[in-house]
């Protein structure tokens, strides 16, 4: 199917899904247990659906998918704070009470649970376990396992689980296979989040300190795959469980088709790409358009043994670029951050890196209906922001857009604007050509990058040359993945690489990304250190919005505050996914609106010669 046909198909399906969501302006109370729930309105799939619309229910089983990852790892437990874990792990071995459809902004369907019931105002949610649910060792998944998992992860597990747990008033067994969770706050999303917590086997950790002992353990779960082989830092292999309990659950039909999944780790992008060219790996994603156009002409592509595909999606761009640590001077001054935005010559860098073919990220939710609108805030967006007007970053209400250069290397206008902002902040260029403050301290800082990130190093090098024109002395420090995690967890950086993927259904995770409460908590995800009452209020509003319109307005308002805050210098966005794979690997012609996203690959792929 062509990229154009895929795009048209997805636009039609997405329009239908959003229309369905907009039918209901307030939460609909469910009078009886059901097989699915949605953030607004009803889920799109009927109770008797056979499989997800983007899965092939008749896909054959067998074969292997081998991918490359740049970096390393020293742990195979994604459920605790310690250790550097392959990011794919929680998606491959994790299983929850409900599963998320990638073809709807936010709908869940039963997985470990056979049914779900909501309170009239979503003040509670009750799940009934599937009687057939079993862990990989064949033992049953019990209500006791469910309750223990929620309590343990919420108190001593990874920090990502604690925010949800703080909003739980009680969790209790209401029957041999049923469990009820009652909330202590009004939050439309909590019932859905409850369905997405991973369920672990309590007996595996009997007599052990979960937080202390778990890093050395591979968790037992009920998922289709288990870790079958690994060498720390080198590779990890997963094998499909032939006795997987949920093969006939509608949400799982046509998924987990590959017998083997293997991730090979490399120290740099170059050997990782070479591994794909020689057939050591058989699937890759390409994020550099110039390399996609010029280097994917090797023998296997020419013979048809490797297939190239471009898949559009409708996800928000998220934010990718260089984040400034606003916890420390001089990055705590928005005028300095504004100057550093002007100094970043995106148009010149984009031409050098991609031939000018990649559009720039313009906001946290660009490429989606949730993106802030150009120009002054209006309507409900303005209404939501006005109470905070006195403290909002300049441009939040009036309108803010990223600087645009003329594309030349000198970027005279941008450098001039940067110098003006720096002068307002008390920084001037001395006779020696060095930018200094009133105390005579030179402006110098470090850009922290992970070893092997050659593309970002190239971008940083061009940026450093631009900064030198301002009299700023910047340098790159490359560290291995363990040191990178250790330093970013401790917020020990001036500027570093930043990637935050965002979805069409932003919710409680926005607090961990941008909320004030966890801004200084070690290991948190608010790398920029933003502490804004307006940001907190917009997140709270999107979680309690009574309608789709209010929800969208709250996200657009949040986008405005974050973008105008000038915390991250954005680079280019990827509105299509570029993938290359062995001709023996296949995926359905129907691609979800989220596109190439966790839950699609490797989930619905299959191997067939």
């Amino acid at each position: 199917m062509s990229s154009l046909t895929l795009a048209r198909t997805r636009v039609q399906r997405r329009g239908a899904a959003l229309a369905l969501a907009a039918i209901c302006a307030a939460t609909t109370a469910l009078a009886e247990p059901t097989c699915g729930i949605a953030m607004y309105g009803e889920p799109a799939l009927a109770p008797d659906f056979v499989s997800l619309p983007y899965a092939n229910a008749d896909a054959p089983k067998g074969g292997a998918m081998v991918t490359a990852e740049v970096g390393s790892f020293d742990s195979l437990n994604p459920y605790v704070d310690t250790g550097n874990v392959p990011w794919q792990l929680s998606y491959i071995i994790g299983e929850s009470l409900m599963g998320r459809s990638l073809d709807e902004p936010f709908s869940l369907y039963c997985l470990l649970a056979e049914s779900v019931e909501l309170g009239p105002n979503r003040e509670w949610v009750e799940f009934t376990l599937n009687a057939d649910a079993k862990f990989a060792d064949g033992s049953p998944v019990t209500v006791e396992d469910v309750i223990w998992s929620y309590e343990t992860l919420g108190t001593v597990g990874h920090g990502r689980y604690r925010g949800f747990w703080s909003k739980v008033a009680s969790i209790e067994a209401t029957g041999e296979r049923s469990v009820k969770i009652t909330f202590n706050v009004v939050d439309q999303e909590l019932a859905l989040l409850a369905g997405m917590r991973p369920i672990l086997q309590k007996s595996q950790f009997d007599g052990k300190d979960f937080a202390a002992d778990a890093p050395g353990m591979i968790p037992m779960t009920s998922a289709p795959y288990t870790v079958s082989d690994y060498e720390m830092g080198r590779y990890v292999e997963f094998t499909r469980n032939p006795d997987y309990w949920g093969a006939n659950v509608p949400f799982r039909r046509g998924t987990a088709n590959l017998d083997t999944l293997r991730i090979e780790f490399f120290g740099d992008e170059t050997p990782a790409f070479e591994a794909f060219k020689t057939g050591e790996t058989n699937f890759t994603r390409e994020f550099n358009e110039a390399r996609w156009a010029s280097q994917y002409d090797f023998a296997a592509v020419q013979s048809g043994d490797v297939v190239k595909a471009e898949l559009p999606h409708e996800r928000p761009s998220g934010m990718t670029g260089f984040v400034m640590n606003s916890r420390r001077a001089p990055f705590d001054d928005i005028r300095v951050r504004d100057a550093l935005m002007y100094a970043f010559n995106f148009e010149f860098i984009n031409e050098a890196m991609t031939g000018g073919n990649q559009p720039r990220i313009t906001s946290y939710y660009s490429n989606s209906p949730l993106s802030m609108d150009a120009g002054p805030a209006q309507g409900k967006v303005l209404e939501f922001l006005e109470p905070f007007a006195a403290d909002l970053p300049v441009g939040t209400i009036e309108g803010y857009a990223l600087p645009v250069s003329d594309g030349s290397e000198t970027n005279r206008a941008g450098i001039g604007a940067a110098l003006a902002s720096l002068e307002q902040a008390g920084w001037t260029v001395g006779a020696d050509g060095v930018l200094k403050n009133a105390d005579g301290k030179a402006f110098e800082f470090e850009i922290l990058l992970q070893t092997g990130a050659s593309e970002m190093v190239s971008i940083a090098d061009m940026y450093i040359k631009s900064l030198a024109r301002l009299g700023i002395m910047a340098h790159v420090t490359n560290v291995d993945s363990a040191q990178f995690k250790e330093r970013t967890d401790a917020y020990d950086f001036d500027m570093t690489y930043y990637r935050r993927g965002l979805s069409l259904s932003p919710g409680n995770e926005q607090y961990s990304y941008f909320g004030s409460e966890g801004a200084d908590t070690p290991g948190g995800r608010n790398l920029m250190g933003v502490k804004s009452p307006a940001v907190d209020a917009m997140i709270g509003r999107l979680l309690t919005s009574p309608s789709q319109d209010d929800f969208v307005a709250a996200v657009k308002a949040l986008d405005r505050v974050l973008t105008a805050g000038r915390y991250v210098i954005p680079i280019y966005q990827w509105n299509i996914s570029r993938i290359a794979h062995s001709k023996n690997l296949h995926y359905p012609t129907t691609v979800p609106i989220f596109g190439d996203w966790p839950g699609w690959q490797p989930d619905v792929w299959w191997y067939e010669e």
Side-chain angles (χ1 to χ4, degrees), residues 431-593:
D432 57 0
V434 176
L435 189 71
K436 299 177 182 178
N437 62 13
D439 297 327
K441 182 179 179 181
F443 194 142
E444 51 185 326
F445 69 91
E446 172 193 69
I447 302 175
L448 179 69
L449 295 177
Q450 188 170 317
T451 301
S454 55
E455 182 177 13
M456 296 310 297
V457 170
S458 297
I459 294 174
D461 286 343
M462 285 183 275
Y463 185 35
I464 287 170
K465 290 179 181 178
S466 295
L467 293 171
R469 295 187 176 93
L470 296 169
I472 295 175
M473 294 174 285
H475 66 277
V476 169
T477 297
N478 289 297
V479 296
D480 63 31
S481 57
Q483 289 177 297
F484 185 81
K485 183 178 187 301
E486 181 180 347
R487 288 193 57 180
T488 53
D489 280 354
Y491 310 120
D492 179 21
F493 65 90
D494 297 322
M495 181 182 288
T496 190
Y497 172 74
Y498 180 83
R499 170 63 187 154
R500 183 66 65 228
L502 298 171
S503 78
L504 289 167
S505 56
N508 277 269
E509 77 283 353
Q510 305 298 296
Y511 278 129
S512 65
Y513 298 162
F514 314 119
S516 301
E517 186 175 348
D520 295 322
T521 303
R525 306 174 83 180
N526 182 352
L527 287 189
M528 68 270 286
V530 55
K531 299 175 185 176
S532 164
V535 166
D536 294 340
M538 295 310 108
I539 297 173
R541 187 177 282 277
L542 70 87
L543 292 173
T544 56
S545 293
S547 70
Q548 185 81 2
D549 287 345
D550 279 18
F551 172 79
V552 171
V555 181
K556 286 177 177 285
L558 173 64
D559 196 15
R560 280 179 170 267
V561 182
L562 291 172
T563 304
R566 301 154 170 87
Y567 298 104
V568 182
I569 303 170
I571 57 171
Y572 26 79
Q573 58 180 291
W574 297 273
N575 294 335
I576 61 172
S577 295
R578 299 180 178 91
I579 60 174
H581 57 87
S582 162
K583 67 179 181 180
N584 297 327
L585 290 171
H586 305 269
Y587 58 88
T589 54
T590 299
V591 178
I593 63 172

Side-chain angles (χ1 to χ4, degrees), residues 144-145 148 201-209 213 217:
E144 186 179 10
D145 291 310
W148 177 86
Q201 186 182 53
K202 179 184 177 183
S203 62
Q204 183 185 14
F205 295 94
D206 281 349
K208 297 180 175 64
D209 183 326
D213 296 340
M217 302 181 69

Side-chain angles (χ1 to χ4, degrees), residues 220-235:
M220 173 74 67
T221 69
S222 57
Y225 290 97
T226 58
V227 175
S228 53
D229 192 14
Y230 67 92
E231 182 179 336
M232 288 296 184
R234 294 282 305 279
Y235 67 87

Side-chain angles (χ1 to χ4, degrees), residues 380-397:
K380 287 187 175 182
V381 175
L382 177 60
E383 175 189 333
F384 294 167
L385 290 173
E386 278 184 325
F388 306 93
D391 300 315
L392 291 173
V394 174
T396 304
I397 289 180

Side-chain angles (χ1 to χ4, degrees), residues 228-296:
S228 53
D229 192 14
Y230 67 92
E231 182 179 336
M232 288 296 184
R234 294 282 305 279
Y235 67 87
V236 58
E237 186 170 285
F238 308 87
T239 298
R240 184 174 62 86
N241 179 3
D243 299 319
Y244 172 58
W245 73 272
N248 291 317
V249 171
F251 183 85
R252 284 296 195 201
R253 285 197 192 110
T255 71
N257 304 309
L258 299 158
D259 280 351
T260 303
L261 306 174
R262 186 180 175 98
I263 307 171
E264 296 280 354
F265 286 77
F266 297 86
D268 190 84
E269 295 171 357
T270 300
F273 183 51
E274 288 300 316
F276 178 69
K277 289 170 63 177
T278 59
E280 184 179 345
T281 62
N282 62 6
F283 175 97
T284 191
R285 293 181 177 91
E286 183 53 67
F287 297 102
N288 187 295
E289 197 277 340
R291 184 162 56 206
W292 179 255
S294 64
Q295 296 186 34
Y296 282 77

Side-chain angles (χ1 to χ4, degrees), residues 166-352:
S166 69
K167 299 179 180 181
V168 172
S170 65
I171 180 169
E172 58 183 333
T174 53
E176 184 181 355
R177 291 191 290 119
S178 57
V179 58
K180 182 177 182 179
I181 303 172
T182 303
F183 307 112
N184 56 27
V185 296
V186 176
D187 185 330
Q188 298 283 77
E189 191 188 30
L190 289 178
L192 287 88
L193 291 182
M196 298 175 68
R197 302 296 91 173
I199 305 302
L200 307 181
Q201 186 182 53
K202 179 184 177 183
S203 62
Q204 183 185 14
F205 295 94
D206 281 349
K208 297 180 175 64
D209 183 326
F210 184 83
D213 296 340
M217 302 181 69
I218 300 174
M220 173 74 67
T221 69
S222 57
Y225 290 97
T226 58
V227 175
S228 53
D229 192 14
Y230 67 92
E231 182 179 336
M232 288 296 184
R234 294 282 305 279
Y235 67 87
V236 58
E237 186 170 285
F238 308 87
T239 298
R240 184 174 62 86
N241 179 3
D243 299 319
Y244 172 58
W245 73 272
N248 291 317
V249 171
F251 183 85
R252 284 296 195 201
R253 285 197 192 110
T255 71
N257 304 309
L258 299 158
D259 280 351
T260 303
L261 306 174
R262 186 180 175 98
I263 307 171
E264 296 280 354
F265 286 77
F266 297 86
D268 190 84
E269 295 171 357
T270 300
F273 183 51
E274 288 300 316
F276 178 69
K277 289 170 63 177
T278 59
E280 184 179 345
T281 62
N282 62 6
F283 175 97
T284 191
R285 293 181 177 91
E286 183 53 67
F287 297 102
N288 187 295
E289 197 277 340
R291 184 162 56 206
W292 179 255
S294 64
Q295 296 186 34
Y296 282 77
D297 58 353
F298 49 90
V301 174
Q302 294 174 2
S303 69
D305 290 333
V306 164
V307 178
K308 294 172 62 179
E310 296 183 358
L311 304 175
H313 63 79
E314 296 175 52
R315 302 190 309 269
S317 63
M319 184 56 67
T320 303
F322 294 99
V323 62
M324 293 172 270
N325 188 352
S326 67
R327 300 171 187 82
R328 56 172 63 173
F331 307 100
D332 56 343
D333 190 327
I334 192 172
R335 296 168 298 184
V336 170
R337 299 198 301 272
D338 185 57
L340 296 181
M341 301 282 278
Y342 272 107
F344 189 83
N345 190 352
F346 173 77
E347 286 66 32
F348 176 79
I349 291 171
N350 191 30
E351 180 64 33

